[in-house]
């Protein structure tokens, strides 16, 4: 009984003690928002001087048990930390202000992350907010104009992306494309167009060699690191993003109508044979019957006869056929993404399903993509964690009219250009409604009417990409091992590609016979990384060590077949059997390559002021020759945070100032495998088979193309960070270029790939972010990315001698234009000067109205050896992108402009041969001698021999790429709907040019036409 009594006493004491504790401990709730009133998910709420804490959920809400004397400390990356004493409060709300220091941002570097303030290399980031600021179909479009030094071309064909170069082009024969890294795994093939932009958390671009050398041989052209969204600690949320766009083609170069073109052709025939054809201003119907092939296409002639109905010519009575209306349509794009995110401290997950349906502005072109992604991160214990990211994509691209199987003489530039070349006086159907195969009677001009029914190029891509990792944190076993981690990354990448093409005999790309082809391509690759990571802080010293062993394998298998005269057009490419067709071609191929690597990186920081990063990577590439496969790539960079020095502490207008300097060596081995041995081509005989040498000689000494780069930069924040950004200057030198040089054919070969030649480059890059105006309800901010870049050739295969045949010149860029300089056209007042050229040639070389090249050496002879010169470069020197954003309460207005300056664009001149249709322009005739362009000359070839000299133009332009207007609904209204967030927006795409030196070309797309449209979008969060 005594023991029982003691038990009851102890139990009652425990209960009373807990009741007292409960009486003292309160559950404090609250919401954390930013200065605009938006909730902040993932913010940290800690009890000061303890390890007790929680994170806010997706609505910015938290709940924590605390005593009245406790102090809550609230923090979030990029925000100023705030504190509040609990006291008797049961609910405490916080409003955090921006830190205003971009150097606190976390960016992804090779094999890890770092705060921007700790970076020593040149890295620029594009965040999820910027990516989502305008609806785009792929991640490449999301970067356009957002990153200084990164030039991205435009490609408006559905399912295709523009080219990307980082800090210009260095290589001549090898690839200049950057390396893509997705969730820590380098891609061995393809780009990032398979990723749904809505699933991207950030894009980090590594530009200088001190940053890219961590990837060794694969970082020579820069590195683009894509991080997809992960689950965050807090309640699970559902997001739905939707956008619908409509686009139409905006044509900048309208064509001549029927009457105008008929007159041009008359002049063209007259100038080609004045004795047979009268001048264009003195027509007669008999000549017109000959000029316009009256008997070959009666339907076209019947239309022309309308102009002669009154007995004299009246071109306004002839109907004009707009051939482009038969190949264009209103393009409609819908994008939908449904995502779920959330988690706990031990498990976080993000998953989404995306759908893109893009009907192009050209009939027969479309792209449909389905995306699925699942990211899961698990931390079951303090010493072990693992993560899985699975990204799948299915894309169906109706490419439209392509050059696969082309046999007709008509344009190979696609269906729109082919339509523009159709004659304006011709008609698609005859009087009985039958399709006219050659409108206008010319065998080289093919009918584009309902072309989408007669041609198809279907491309199907199924891609599965994974990033799997597991990590051991040895600090979980012992405090002595705190900071030491082992991590393994595995990245499988599987792509299945099928291309089926069919051209009916009536297609504008064929000459009467049908064609079909089928090709299949399967790529399997993987990357396996083993990493040892160690980070330690001792007093003012921060140490970091990264060790890597990596293995990459690439395997590609492809096959193809084609046939002509398909008996049943409905079969298309699906019945290419010996019973149905006679195969015209067939092939199969297999390619394997591998990369083996070792890497070490050391980072050191003292007192958060002085930062050092050094790395070395040793790579071996299978596609290079034995004895030349391995190479070492070192890098080192320094940074000094001057703003941390005592002598700057009293300068209130200076918030951040950091100087950086870096050096690094990278390399390029982006050439096809098996270039080191002379490959053999199969040859078949009637009774046996054998092999013969191919046209390329193998090189048993083929090695690395190496680039050495120096980078100097400054990061700054001024006036309470109302002005912030970075300024960079770099130089680079590339040696041992992978150059495909020509060799004497007496060797039995035409070319060989060698390590010869040198290039160099330099540039300046500016990233500038400003808050121009800021009041309680209104803010105007700007973001500028601008760069100057120049790359030149230092040496070629013959040392410092030009390679004129390939337009490669010492001291010039790779994209040089070499040709005759224009001096306008010959006019009657130039008769005496023109006679000197004709006398020197002993024949009539020039007549009035001809294009007039400059005689560089003054010998009155125009010849290629003495009178051609370097006219300029097609590579822009200056590239800029500017975004202005205006916020007034819940309304946001922004516009984005992009420009390229300081380069020459070749519009190709104007043929004016009178064979195909012609854009409206000012051309020379006997009645118009003060014209801009040469006289027309009927010809199946080029017409005027020097017409191209009138096509070299200043390519500088500034274009509005996007205007966006959005509205965020009030929080109270949203909560009544049971939502967390609701936003609607409308955007205008490509509304117009601000400035352009070539009025009839969209220099952004480098075509006379581009898409223009509107988008209506919706963002909903549950």
């Amino acid at each position: 009984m005594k023991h029982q009594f003691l038990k009851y006493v102890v139990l009652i004491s425990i209960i009373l003690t807990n009741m007292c504790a409960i009486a003292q401990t309160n559950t404090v709730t609250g919401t954390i928002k930013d200065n605009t009133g938006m909730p902040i998910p993932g913010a940290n709420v800690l009890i000061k001087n303890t390890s007790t804490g929680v994170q806010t959920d997706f609505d910015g809400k938290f709940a924590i048990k605390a005593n009245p004397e406790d102090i809550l400390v609230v923090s979030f990356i990029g925000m100023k930390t705030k504190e509040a004493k609990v006291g008797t409060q049961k609910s405490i709300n916080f409003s955090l202000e921006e830190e205003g220091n971009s150097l606190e941002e976390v960016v992804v570097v090779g094999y890890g992350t770092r705060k921007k303030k700790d970076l020593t290399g040149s890295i620029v980031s594009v965040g999820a907010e910027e990516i989502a600021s305008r609806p785009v179909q792929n991640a490449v479009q999301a970067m356009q104009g957002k990153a200084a030094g990164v030039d991205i071309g435009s490609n408006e064909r559905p399912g295709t992306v523009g080219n990307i170069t980082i800090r210009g082009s260095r290589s001549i024969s090898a690839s200049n494309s950057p390396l893509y890294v997705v969730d820590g795994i380098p891609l061995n093939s393809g780009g990032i167009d398979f990723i749904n932009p809505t699933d991207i958390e950030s894009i980090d671009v590594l530009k200088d060699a001190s940053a890219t050398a961590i990837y060794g041989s694969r970082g020579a052209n820069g590195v683009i690191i894509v991080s997809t969204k992960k689950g965050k600690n807090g309640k699970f949320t559902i997001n739905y993003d939707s956008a619908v766009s409509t686009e139409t083609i905006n044509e900048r170069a309208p064509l001549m109508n029927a009457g105008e073109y008929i007159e041009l052709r008359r002049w063209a025939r007259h100038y080609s044979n004045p004795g047979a054809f009268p001048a264009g201003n003195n027509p007669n119907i008999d000549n017109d019957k000959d000029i316009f092939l009256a008997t070959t296409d009666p339907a076209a002639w019947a239309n022309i006869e309308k102009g002669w109905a009154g007995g004299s010519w009246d071109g306004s009575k002839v109907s004009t056929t707009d051939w482009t209306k038969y190949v264009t349509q209103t393009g409609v794009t819908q994008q939908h993404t449904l995502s779920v995110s959330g988690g706990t401290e031990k498990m976080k997950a993000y998953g989404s399903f995306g759908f893109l349906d893009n009907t192009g502005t050209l009939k027969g072109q479309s792209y449909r993509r389905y995306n699925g992604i699942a990211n899961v991160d698990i931390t079951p214990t303090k010493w072990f964690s693992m993560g899985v990211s699975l990204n799948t994509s299915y894309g169906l691209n109706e490419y439209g009219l392509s050059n696969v199987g082309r046999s007709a003489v008509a344009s190979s530039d696609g269906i729109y250009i082919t339509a523009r070349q159709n004659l304006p006086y011709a008609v698609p159907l005859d009087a009985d409604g039958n399709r006219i195969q050659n409108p206008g009677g010319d065998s080289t001009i093919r009918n584009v009417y309902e072309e989408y029914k007669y041609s198809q190029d279907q491309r199907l891509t199924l891609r599965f990409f994974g990033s799997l990792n597991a990590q051991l944190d040895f600090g979980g076993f012992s405090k002595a091992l705190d900071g030491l981690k082992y991590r393994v990354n595995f990245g499988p990448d599987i792509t299945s590609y099928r291309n089926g093409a069919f051209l009916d005999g009536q297609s504008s790309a064929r000459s009467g016979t049908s064609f079909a082809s089928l090709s299949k391509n399967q790529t399997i690759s993987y990357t396996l990384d083993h990493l040892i990571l160690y980070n330690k802080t001792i007093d003012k010293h921060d140490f970091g060590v990264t060790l890597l062993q990596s293995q990459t394998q690439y395997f590609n298998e492809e096959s193809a077949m084609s046939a002509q005269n398909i008996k049943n057009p409905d079969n298309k490419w699906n019945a290419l059997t010996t019973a149905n067709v006679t195969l015209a071609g067939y092939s199969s191929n297999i390619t394997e390559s591998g990369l083996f690597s070792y890497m070490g990186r050391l980072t050191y920081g003292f007192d958060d002021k002085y930062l050092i990063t050094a790395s070395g990577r040793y790579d071996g590439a299978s596609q290079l020759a034995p004895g030349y496969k391995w190479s070492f790539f070192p890098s080192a960079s320094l940074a000094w945070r001057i703003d941390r020095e005592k002598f700057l502490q009293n300068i209130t207008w200076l918030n951040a100032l950091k100087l950086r300097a870096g050096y690094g060596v990278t390399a390029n081995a982006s050439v096809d495998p098996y270039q080191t041995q002379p490959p053999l081509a199969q040859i078949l005989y009637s009774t046996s088979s054998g092999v013969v040498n191919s046209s390329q000689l193998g090189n048993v000494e083929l090695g690395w193309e190496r680039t050495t780069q120096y980078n100097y930069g400054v990061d700054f924040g001024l006036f309470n960070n109302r002005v912030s950004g970075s300024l960079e200057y770099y130089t680079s030198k590339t040696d041992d270029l992978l150059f495909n040089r020509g060799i004497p054919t007496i060797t039995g070969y035409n070319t060989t790939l060698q390590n010869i030649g040198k290039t160099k480059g330099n540039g300046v890059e500016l990233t500038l972010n400003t808050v121009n105006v800021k009041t309680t309800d209104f803010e105007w901010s700007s973001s500028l990315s601008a760069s100057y870049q120049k790359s030149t050739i230092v040496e070629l295969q013959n040392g410092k001698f030009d390679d004129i045949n390939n337009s490669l010149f010492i001291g010039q860029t790779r994209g040089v234009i070499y040709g005759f300089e224009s001096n306008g056209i010959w006019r009657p007042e130039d008769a005496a000067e023109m006679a000197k050229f004709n006398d020197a040639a002993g024949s009539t070389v020039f007549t009035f109205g001809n294009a007039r090249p400059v005689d560089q050496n003054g010998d009155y002879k125009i010849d290629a050896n003495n009178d051609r010169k370097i006219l300029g470069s097609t590579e822009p020197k200056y590239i800029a992108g500017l975004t202005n954003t205006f916020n007034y309460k819940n309304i946001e207005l922004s516009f984005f402009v992009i420009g390229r300056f300081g380069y020459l664009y070749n519009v190709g001149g104007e043929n004016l041969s009178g064979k195909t249709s012609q854009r409206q322009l000012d051309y020379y005739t006997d009645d118009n001698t003060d014209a801009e362009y040469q006289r027309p000359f009927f010809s199946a070839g080029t017409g005027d021999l020097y017409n191209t000299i009138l096509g070299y133009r200043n390519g500088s332009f500034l274009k509005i790429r996007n205007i966006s207007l959005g509205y965020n609904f009030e929080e109270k209204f949203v909560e009544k709907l049971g939502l967390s967030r609701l936003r609607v927006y409308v955007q205008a795409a490509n509304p117009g040019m601000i400035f352009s030196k070539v009025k009839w070309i969209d220099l952004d797309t480098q075509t006379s036409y581009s898409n223009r449209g509107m988008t209506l979008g919706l963002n909903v969060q549950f």
Side-chain angles (χ1 to χ4, degrees), residues 610-648:
Y610 314 109
L611 309 167
I612 300 174
T613 301
S615 71
R617 180 156 173 151
Y618 191 51
D619 277 355
S622 65
Q623 63 265 41
L624 300 179
Y628 298 86
K629 295 181 182 294
W630 289 88
S631 191
F632 180 70
F633 309 103
S635 74
S637 53
L638 308 171
W640 176 23
R641 294 193 61 194
I642 307 178
D643 60 291
R644 301 283 294 176
E645 298 290 354
K646 291 183 179 179
F647 60 82
L648 290 180

Side-chain angles (χ1 to χ4, degrees), residues 729-755:
Y729 172 73
Y730 69 90
T731 63
S732 66
K733 182 180 179 181
T734 302
D735 300 312
D736 298 326
L737 293 175
L738 289 165
F739 189 87
N740 197 21
R741 68 173 298 182
I743 57 177
T745 55
I746 194 173
T747 62
Y749 303 91
N750 296 326
T751 61
T752 184
L753 194 62
Q754 293 184 348
N755 292 109

